Amino acid sequence: MKKVIALSLALALLLALTACGGSTSSAAPASSAAPSASGDAAVDVIKIGVYEPASGDNGAGGKQETLGIQYANSLVNTVNVGGKDYKVELVIVDNESSNDKGPSAAASLVSSGVSIALGSYGSGVSIAASDVFANAGIPVIGVTCTNPQVTEGNTHYFRICFLDPFQGTVLANFATDSFSAKTAYSLAKLGDDYSVGLCYYFQQAFEALGGKVIYETFPEGNSDFTPYLTKAKNEGADVFFAPVSTEAAALIIEQANAQSLGIPMMAGDTWDSNVILNAAKGTKTDLYVTTFFDEGTDDEQGAEFVKGIKEWINANPTNLSNNGGDDTIAAVSAMGYDAYFTALEAIKAAGSADPKAVNEALWKVDYTGISGRIVFNETGDAIRDAAFVKKVNTETGKWEFVAIQGVN
Amino acid sequence: MKFFNENLPYILAGISVGGQYALIAIGYTMVYGILRLINFAHGDIFMVAGLMMVYFSTAMPLYAAIPLVLALTVLLGFVIERVAYKPLRNAPRMSIMISAIGVSYLLQNMALYVTGGLAKQYPPIPWISDIINIGTATTKRVTVITPVLTIVLVVALVILIKYTKIGMAMRAVSRDFETARLMGIKINNVISTTFIIGSLLAGVGSLLYFTNYTGVVPTAGAMPGLKAFVAAVFGGIGSIPGAVVGAFIIGICESLIKGAGWTTFSDAFTFALLIVILVAKPTGLFGEKTTDKV
Amino acid sequence: MDKKMKSIYSLIAVAALFVFLFLLERTLPSTSMLFTVLKKGAIYALVAVSLNLLNGFTGLFSLGQAGFMLIGAYTYAIFTIPPQARAQVYQYFDGGIIQFALPVPVALVLAGLAAATFAFLIGLPVLRLKGDYLAIATLGFAEIIRAIFQWDKLGPITNGSNLLRKFPAFSSVLFPFAVSGICIALIVLLINSSFGRAFKAIREDEIAAEAMGISLFKHKMLSFVISSFFAGVSGALLAMYQTTVQASAFKSAMTYEILLIVVIGGIGSVTGSCLSSFLFIACSEWWLRFLDAETVISGFHVPLLRSGFRKVVFSVIIMCVVLFYRQGIMGDREFSWKGLIGLFKKPFAKRAKAKGGAAHE
């Protein structure tokens, strides 16, 4: 009996190994019927990969970014290439917010034959999967990964958002200008490239302004933040800077309230999320974030986007729960929307679904989205010179616009 | 006085965390005492209890949700024992430990599936989540309640084990499995009771823990579970007072280490302590000496 | 069948396997998930066999494998990043303090040696412990190692808790197969030597083994150090496969996964560990991925299928194996030509052929 089992398992293995020798891209999840973009068969589908976290630390933000992309896809799902209309199909994978699971997820995108990929929320996973895309020759547009290392030294990774050296400086300026802060407490998560990097650039900028920074990190799986908050209080910090994932942020806000922290809290773009709004609502905290986009924008195109995506999200319970249960529009959704159209522009300009041609075309893309004009410089970064600063209104649980801040 | 005022929040947080570890550690130590099994799934039972609370509190009032969650947690512990451990009672020790790892893997993946991988916000429980002042520190009322409740529960448990029939049976089984069976003790009932008590305390522990640290994620049980186990070993595995003392020591040390700026090593410290204890005094602070029979 | 014939057959089978892989790489597009599975499977096969040497053959229940893989991965990465890339990788630490790069084979061996050295130091106190205590102590050590490698003060060497990258990686599936193959062959030779018999004696009965004149501590240490050496090498291979490495990935969950592979394959069977590595990786990375996608078949929305379902199904399968097939795929038996011929004579004669290829990977 045991032999039979052992044998059938071994057989299953070999069968599968040989079976896939015949059907090349049958590994494509869900949409195995669609032919691969590079095949000879009548191609009328162009695939765009969405490499975003749907679980783990950054799951909430990743889902919102994906929503922006999906909304854009629901508006325009065809692209005209060489006089022929192609259907644009999204292939979505979950990179689990994890630097070691990310590359496998990217590999499954690659094997499903995407022409270009978008993502990811979280710089670490973007850096980790960069080589997988590079080896397959597939270009990627980083949507909100702000760490400089994502695009540095390669030619396939692009990015439409601002960078951490910029954001860190903005935050440092804001802290000294608005709170006349002399001492700042900054908290990052161990092994998280985004928060470690942003804290580093914040510290550089803040010390250049003559301030003092107390920098600490917390290990993964930590949920007791009282020691860090107490330390900030004991050291007499004027601002508490914690650009960490929303998951930890919710805990920090809750405990800051319980401990009566009493100093302003600041963070980067990750905190522009309704997770933060829900956590801060009804508390006595003072919260500021820098971000890419403001929901209450005066811009006509932006206002139209906000109205449209709200309707779209409210119409579908799955979308609503992916957005965190309400229709507050996160900046990352707006960025996802812009990234999708930037990708379409590149495909149009390339006149082909071939990843190499799309990669070449990206360098010349000039697209004005709802978050501003997108043109890539020689490292593949969009040129950005302003960030929005927002503040939580703890009574209504909504964002309040504070300022548009540059580095000067 | 300044020193005390500055460190009071650390100590309070430490005592509170220690109390919560203690409630989990009792489950470990009792199961180990009887089955010689490190129940790796125990931390995940704690997590599932927290998750159930999140979902039930939206569907029903709290006074109904809390007992229901505790009842279901107990049921979960009972079912796990019957399904995953009982069939392996005569198997090698390693198999049953691997089964425990498998259960832990399963529970975490189920939680991942149900929650969609996102952190769930634990509902505030009136009165115990209120904010109060102690000296110069501000904290939630639960911080103060935890150690008191822990000690009350432990005293009750010790009385149960010392003076009731089932308690006597438990002691007998943990001393000598075979002889206890010969004496007419229904081993399976005793083991089930152990799991029921352990799960109940883990349920209470999760109530207190997540009221303080309000995010529930699928891996939320893993680290507290491991630390509680270390606490159980530290105090001498099999000994309930030992587990409680060990848990408080670990909770307070951990909090002070974070306060001293050695945050990278706050988890590592727990394990370093474990290894020192294992090497210097393998039976822990209050453990009984065991002899190997050839 | 005499011994000489057997080894000739084995050599032919191995050669055939490599030719097969070589042809596969020429014919299939390099993006196929098959290669992902083969590469990762080969790496996991090595670490699973190394854990099996400890758990299955020596009877030492250790849960520290992820820690040793971490040491191997970091050693490899630190010593092979080209100097011109260092400024970029060690961006917060002014390029780090190491400004040279070693050739890949040297770094691979060094990775193993570093893990073995740590294992020796850890083994001195820990190997005196018994059973579960040993398990929990090694688990603790793995966590401590992880914390040390994330420490900011060591940043100029380890890059703190940040990613290490830009080190040389492999692109062909032949490389991990060759390295893992050689290492596994060495382990098999060890198991079949007098040391291997001593290990098995310790597993069966420590006291009897000691009475026979086997030095318990010396042999336990030997097994522990050798197992860690190969765990270190596989960690280096894993780093090459992932092209980036970060301490936070080497959690105890990783050790549990490897342990489950060993159990599914059969505790005490090298063949089983290899087989189950490929099965495990294929299931978790590839075959079950369709469970994660919401699927509509002719208008019917298949229930339950959504992100995360794959892992639930997978863990249920694992529980079934643990509870009902406690022996795993191979039990404690090994692949042998004689066994294979025995299978030919069974009604499944045709299928047995299939096994020959698979079982020898």
Side-chain angles (χ1 to χ4, degrees):
Chain A
M1 182 61 202
K2 272 166 202 150
K3 264 189 185 159
V4 178
I5 294 159
L7 207 58
S8 39
L9 283 175
L11 182 77
L13 176 72
L14 198 78
L15 270 184
L17 291 187
T18 41
C20 53
S23 60
T24 48
S25 61
S26 67
S31 54
S32 52
S36 135
S38 55
D40 296 329
V43 182
D44 37 20
V45 171
I46 289 180
K47 289 183 188 169
I48 296 184
V50 180
Y51 173 70
E52 293 284 353
S55 56
D57 271 1
N58 293 325
K63 281 183 171 171
Q64 286 175 332
E65 201 162 294
T66 310
L67 277 176
I69 298 169
Q70 285 173 314
Y71 171 64
N73 181 247
S74 77
L75 293 182
V76 180
N77 66 353
T78 55
V79 59
N80 192 297
V81 174
K84 184 164 179 251
D85 274 337
Y86 289 83
K87 189 168 180 294
V88 180
E89 194 177 275
L90 297 178
V91 184
I92 302 174
V93 291
D94 177 10
N95 61 36
E96 302 178 43
S97 318
S98 143
N99 291 354
D100 57 319
K101 302 271 168 41
S104 305
S108 82
L109 268 188
V110 167
S111 76
S112 69
V114 297
S115 303
I116 184 169
L118 308 177
S120 164
Y121 185 100
S123 300
V125 277
S126 306
I127 298 169
S130 176
D131 282 352
V132 176
F133 290 117
N135 293 340
I138 290 173
V140 196
I141 302 181
V143 184
T144 59
C145 33
T146 48
N147 192 299
Q149 295 222 9
V150 175
T151 53
E152 207 172 277
N154 61 47
T155 53
H156 71 291
Y157 227 115
F158 296 79
R159 154 167 50 204
I160 61 166
C161 57
F162 51 60
L163 272 69
D164 282 341
F166 168 76
Q167 186 171 212
T169 316
V170 165
L171 283 158
N173 287 349
F174 184 72
T176 36
D177 295 353
S178 306
F179 315 121
S180 4
K182 291 276 173 287
T183 312
Y185 181 90
S186 84
L187 183 64
K189 181 179 161 182
L190 258 188
D192 171 26
D193 298 74
Y194 168 76
S195 62
V196 171
L198 189 49
C199 280
Y200 174 82
Y201 294 115
F202 173 78
Q203 183 163 1
Q204 300 268 308
F206 196 75
E207 283 173 354
L209 292 168
K212 184 182 142 216
V213 175
I214 303 148
Y215 169 63
E216 282 195 308
T217 54
F218 66 91
E220 178 157 0
N222 180 67
S223 43
D224 179 13
F225 289 95
T226 35
Y228 306 103
L229 293 160
T230 310
K231 177 119 184 205
K233 257 205 284 195
N234 286 349
E235 300 277 341
D238 302 310
V239 287
F240 188 92
F241 179 57
V244 295
S245 69
T246 51
E247 200 163 275
L251 290 170
I252 293 176
I253 294 169
E254 170 83 25
Q255 288 167 36
N257 184 45
Q259 301 273 320
S260 313
L261 181 66
I263 54 174
M265 298 169 84
M266 297 195 318
D269 51 289
T270 44
W271 280 33
D272 180 13
S273 156
N274 41 13
V275 174
I276 305 297
L277 290 176
N278 293 338
K281 192 174 175 181
T283 61
K284 287 193 204 101
T285 48
D286 204 9
L287 272 174
Y288 296 85
V289 301
T290 47
T291 187
F292 317 106
F293 178 77
D294 179 44
E295 193 187 284
T297 174
D298 300 331
D299 178 54
E300 194 181 322
Q301 204 188 353
E304 192 186 324
F305 160 77
V306 171
K307 186 163 160 281
I309 194 171
K310 278 195 189 225
E311 270 171 26
W312 181 75
I313 284 175
N314 283 323
N316 182 332
T318 318
N319 291 343
L320 194 62
S321 80
N322 281 350
N323 197 41
D326 60 36
D327 66 354
T328 309
I329 302 305
V332 291
S333 302
M335 297 301 278
Y337 179 87
D338 272 359
Y340 177 80
F341 284 113
T342 310
L344 285 196
E345 284 297 315
I347 294 172
K348 265 187 245 168
S352 148
D354 177 38
K356 299 231 163 30
V358 178
N359 198 348
E360 282 307 309
L362 268 167
W363 293 106
K364 290 179 226 90
V365 164
D366 184 348
Y367 171 74
T368 304
I370 48 174
S371 63
R373 184 165 170 227
I374 294 166
V375 185
F376 298 109
N377 67 8
E378 67 281 0
T379 50
D381 295 321
I383 302 146
R384 301 268 180 181
D385 53 10
F388 293 86
V389 181
K390 298 200 283 195
K391 172 186 198 298
V392 181
N393 182 329
T394 50
E395 276 165 28
T396 58
K398 297 270 180 225
W399 291 110
E400 269 173 18
F401 176 73
V402 177
I404 292 181
Q405 180 116 6
V407 282
N408 302 315
Chain B
M1 197 60 205
K2 180 169 177 289
F3 175 80
F4 180 75
N5 282 342
E6 280 190 352
N7 287 292
L8 184 63
Y10 299 127
I11 295 166
L12 277 178
I15 292 175
S16 169
V17 174
Q20 288 141 10
Y21 287 165
L23 290 175
I24 312 172
I26 291 170
Y28 274 112
T29 208
M30 285 175 68
V31 168
Y32 193 89
I34 288 178
L35 280 183
R36 304 283 147 198
L37 159 70
I38 303 175
N39 183 10
F40 278 105
H42 195 61
D44 299 293
I45 292 177
F46 164 86
M47 176 272 298
V48 171
L51 212 51
M52 286 198 291
M53 190 69 195
V54 171
Y55 284 104
F56 290 154
S57 65
T58 55
M60 59 186 77
L62 274 178
Y63 59 81
I66 294 175
L68 186 65
V69 165
L70 291 181
L72 285 174
T73 311
V74 164
L75 187 68
L76 179 70
F78 175 77
V79 169
I80 287 175
E81 195 277 319
R82 281 293 150 109
V83 173
Y85 303 151
K86 188 161 170 259
L88 300 176
R89 200 136 296 158
N90 296 318
R93 287 255 293 284
M94 211 196 270
S95 311
I96 185 164
M97 195 149 148
I98 287 159
S99 180
I101 290 175
V103 172
S104 153
Y105 199 64
L106 178 64
L107 287 180
Q108 284 188 19
N109 284 335
M110 296 257 265
L112 188 74
Y113 176 64
V114 170
T115 58
L118 300 184
K120 293 284 169 190
Q121 193 75 11
Y122 203 72
I125 296 170
W127 196 67
I128 67 164
S129 351
D130 294 348
I131 293 163
I132 54 165
N133 290 305
I134 304 164
T136 51
T138 329
T139 185
K140 284 187 183 178
R141 187 167 277 137
V142 65
T143 315
V144 191
I145 292 173
T146 306
V148 178
L149 190 63
T150 306
I151 288 166
V152 169
L153 285 171
V154 168
V155 169
L157 186 61
V158 170
I159 290 172
L160 176 93
I161 288 177
K162 268 228 156 96
Y163 298 108
T164 63
K165 210 167 169 187
I166 183 80
M168 201 188 287
M170 278 178 187
R171 277 184 289 148
V173 174
S174 75
R175 190 59 62 85
D176 192 329
F177 209 87
E178 286 307 316
T179 317
R181 184 177 276 166
L182 288 176
M183 295 294 165
I185 291 171
K186 293 195 175 62
I187 300 271
N188 286 332
N189 288 357
V190 172
I191 293 172
S192 292
T193 316
T194 312
F195 273 85
I196 285 171
I197 295 173
S199 306
L200 179 69
L201 292 176
V204 176
S206 94
L207 205 69
L208 300 169
Y209 183 88
F210 289 117
T211 302
N212 231 351
Y213 313 122
T214 50
V216 190
V217 290
T219 49
M223 247 316 149
L226 265 182
K227 284 183 184 157
F229 177 74
V230 173
V233 176
F234 186 65
I237 201 128
S239 150
I240 289 171
V244 174
V245 172
F248 277 114
I249 292 177
I250 284 179
I252 294 169
C253 287
E254 196 188 307
S255 195
L256 288 176
I257 284 175
K258 280 183 190 166
W262 288 83
T263 47
T264 315
F265 292 99
S266 63
D267 291 343
F269 164 78
T270 313
F271 293 102
L273 191 69
L274 167 83
I275 289 161
V276 169
I277 272 287
L278 281 180
V279 172
K281 194 172 185 304
T283 49
L285 292 179
F286 299 89
E288 289 169 16
K289 184 131 185 66
T290 51
T291 45
D292 275 335
K293 281 164 277 186
V294 177
Chain C
M1 191 156 49
D2 61 32
K3 214 171 174 182
K4 205 174 146 199
M5 284 300 283
K6 274 190 220 167
S7 19
I8 290 173
Y9 277 140
S10 305
L11 274 177
I12 293 173
V14 170
L17 173 69
F18 274 84
V19 170
F20 176 67
L21 288 174
F22 181 77
L23 291 177
L24 214 56
E25 282 201 320
R26 288 286 166 282
T27 47
L28 287 187
S30 62
T31 55
S32 167
M33 278 303 273
L34 173 67
F35 293 119
T36 308
V37 170
L38 287 177
K39 286 174 193 164
K40 210 172 171 188
I43 297 164
Y44 269 69
L46 175 57
V47 66
V49 171
S50 81
L51 186 66
N52 208 341
L53 172 69
L54 211 52
N55 283 11
F57 290 96
T58 324
L60 292 174
F61 198 1
S62 157
L63 293 177
Q65 227 64 357
F68 298 120
M69 287 175 81
L70 188 159
I71 295 171
Y74 261 75
T75 310
Y76 173 79
I78 289 168
F79 287 109
T80 54
I81 297 174
Q84 62 270 25
R86 286 192 185 254
Q88 197 192 339
V89 175
Y90 288 82
Q91 57 171 348
Y92 309 128
F93 299 100
D94 301 327
I97 54 169
I98 294 170
Q99 289 300 342
F100 59 90
L102 296 175
V104 171
V106 179
L108 273 178
V109 175
L110 201 64
L113 288 177
T117 313
F118 267 85
F120 178 75
L121 296 176
I122 291 170
L124 287 176
V126 166
L127 284 177
R128 298 176 198 282
L129 302 171
K130 292 227 168 81
D132 309 343
Y133 287 108
L134 176 66
I136 201 81
T138 44
L139 184 74
F141 259 119
E143 292 288 323
I144 294 172
I145 290 171
R146 194 155 67 92
I148 293 174
F149 275 82
Q150 291 185 322
W151 192 23
D152 254 7
K153 296 279 185 303
L154 290 177
I157 303 169
T158 61
N159 204 14
S161 60
N162 309 300
L163 278 174
L164 284 172
R165 56 206 186 92
K166 301 271 176 199
F167 45 81
F170 55 77
S171 58
S172 165
V173 72
L174 295 174
F175 183 81
F177 264 81
V179 176
S180 287
I182 293 169
C183 291
I184 292 172
L186 288 175
I187 296 177
V188 171
L189 285 179
L190 177 81
I191 288 169
N192 292 333
S193 71
S194 65
F195 287 113
R197 283 190 287 281
F199 292 163
K200 285 179 203 161
I202 293 173
R203 171 187 71 187
E204 297 305 328
D205 192 333
E206 284 196 5
I207 292 160
E210 203 168 19
M212 300 293 285
I214 294 172
S215 159
L216 274 189
F217 187 76
K218 194 183 119 198
H219 281 89
K220 280 183 179 180
M221 183 61 102
L222 194 68
S223 171
F224 191 59
V225 167
I226 290 173
S227 162
S228 306
F229 176 88
F230 289 114
V233 174
S234 70
L237 286 176
L238 190 68
M240 293 172 99
Y241 163 75
Q242 288 181 342
T243 70
T244 60
V245 52
Q246 191 173 30
S248 57
F250 296 85
K251 284 185 265 232
S252 47
M254 195 168 190
T255 309
Y256 296 161
E257 265 186 11
I258 299 160
L259 187 64
L260 289 172
I261 290 178
V262 172
V263 171
I264 293 169
I267 295 175
S269 164
V270 173
T271 323
S273 295
C274 296
L275 267 181
S276 73
S277 302
F278 286 99
L279 276 177
F280 189 96
I281 300 294
C283 286
S284 67
E285 300 277 353
W286 184 16
W287 294 340
L288 296 179
R289 261 197 202 271
F290 73 94
L291 292 171
D292 268 7
E294 288 178 31
T295 313
V296 181
I297 299 172
S298 56
F300 173 68
H301 196 278
V302 185
L304 294 175
L305 295 190
R306 63 182 159 92
S307 180
F309 193 59
R310 163 178 65 119
K311 293 192 160 175
V312 175
V313 172
F314 191 47
S315 36
V316 169
I317 296 175
I318 287 174
M319 271 321 283
C320 290
V321 173
V322 169
L323 287 178
F324 303 116
Y325 302 108
R326 237 174 289 159
Q327 295 295 312
I329 300 173
M330 297 292 287
D332 57 359
R333 286 161 301 125
E334 294 292 349
F335 165 80
S336 69
W337 291 107
K338 203 176 157 199
L340 187 64
I341 291 163
L343 281 169
F344 265 108
K345 291 175 185 156
K346 294 233 167 168
F348 303 100
K350 267 185 231 152
R351 293 193 189 184
K353 215 174 207 166
K355 194 183 170 226
H360 221 86
E361 277 165 0

